[in-house]
């Protein structure tokens, strides 16, 4: 007997809807790069060093900046699902 999970179907359809809305891979890359720059600026504003090279600390700074940029993007575009 196969168990059917409706939440899986909702998640799949939601992903397909997002892909049809546009943006996609190119928008994600651009927002990620902008997020890395924003992360460096935010950390510098608080007195910490921003991106210092290719290391774990810089990766964390870039990821946190990308989260901020993605959150702001979704707030301004009206797409509340993250």
């Amino acid at each position: 007997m196969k168990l059917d999970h409706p939440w899986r179907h909702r998640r799949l359809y939601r992903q397909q809807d997002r892909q049809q809305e546009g943006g996609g891979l190119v928008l994600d890359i651009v927002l990620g790069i902008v997020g890395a720059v924003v992360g460096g600026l935010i950390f510098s504003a608080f007195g910490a060093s921003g991106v210092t090279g290719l290391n774990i600390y810089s990766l964390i700074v870039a990821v946190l900046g990308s989260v901020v940029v993605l959150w702001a993007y979704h707030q301004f575009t009206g797409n509340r699902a993250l």
Side-chain angles (χ1 to χ4, degrees), residues 29-44:
I29 290 171
V30 170
L31 288 175
I33 292 170
V34 170
V37 172
V38 168
L41 293 173
I42 290 172
F43 272 67
S44 295

Side-chain angles (χ1 to χ4, degrees), residues 51-65:
V51 176
T52 59
L54 187 58
N55 53 33
I56 297 297
Y57 176 76
S58 296
L59 180 67
I60 292 169
V61 169
V63 168
L64 290 176

